[in-house]
Structure formats: structure tokens, C-alpha cells
């Protein structure tokens, strides 16, 4: 995977902060005043990505090595 940090050309700069998975592409429309031959892309490769997902859409599970699973006890009704 590639992590695109920012794209810049001369005085123009666009922060990105996006991940491009293997086999995918990304298109970017440049402002008319930007010379496409001067574009620089700041990126790096990543092996793992943490995802932030609202709890209403996911089950959150986490346990450190050797720890026991924690199950909350709900008060009896």
C-alpha cells in the first residue's frame, strides 16, 4: 500500500493523507495555474493501516499478548 502525504507544485500544496491499496489508482485534478511538470508527490509504502470506524458499525476488539479477554458485566435489571 502507498500512503500519499501531500502533493505540491511550486507555491501550491495539497495535503492528502490517503492510502492507495495495491492494484488501485488515484486521479487528481490540478488547478489551472499549476504546471503539471513541476508536481512532486510525497509518499511512502505501508504494511499495516489502523482504521477508525464508528462503534455503531464495528465490534472493537483488542488484547495485549498474554492478557485475558475483558467482558463487561451489565447490572442485573
Amino acid at each position: 500500500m502507498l500512503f500519499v502525504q501531500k502533493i505540491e507544485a511550486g507555491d501550491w500544496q495539497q495535503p492528502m493523507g490517503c492510502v492507495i491499496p495495491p492494484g488501485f489508482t488515484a486521479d487528481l485534478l490540478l488547478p489551472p495555474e499549476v504546471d503539471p511538470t513541476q508536481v512532486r508527490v510525497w509518499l511512502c509504502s505501508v504494511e499495516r493501516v489502523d482504521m477508525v470506524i464508528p462503534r455503531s458499525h464495528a465490534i472493537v476488539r483488542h488484547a495485549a499478548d498474554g492478557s485475558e479477554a475483558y467482558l463487561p458485566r451489565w447490572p442485573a435489571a
Side-chain angles (χ1 to χ4, degrees), residues 6-31:
K6 65 181 175 179
I7 299 174
E8 62 183 20
D11 294 335
W12 179 82
Q13 187 178 91
Q14 178 67 44
M16 297 299 288
C18 65
V19 174
I20 302 174
F24 284 76
T25 60
D27 295 323
L28 176 70
L29 295 174
L30 298 172

Side-chain angles (χ1 to χ4, degrees), residues 2 6 8-9 14 24 28 34 37 39 44-47 51-54 57 61 64 68 71:
L2 291 177
K6 65 181 175 179
E8 62 183 20
Q14 178 67 44
F24 284 76
L28 176 70
V34 172
T37 63
V39 172
C44 62
S45 64
V46 292
E47 293 180 20
M51 297 177 67
V52 178
I53 301 172
H57 299 290
R61 297 173 192 237
E68 294 181 15
L71 298 174

Side-chain angles (χ1 to χ4, degrees), residues 54-71:
R55 288 185 182 205
S56 61
H57 299 290
I59 297 174
V60 179
R61 297 173 192 237
H62 173 73
D65 290 336
S67 69
E68 294 181 15
Y70 168 74
L71 298 174

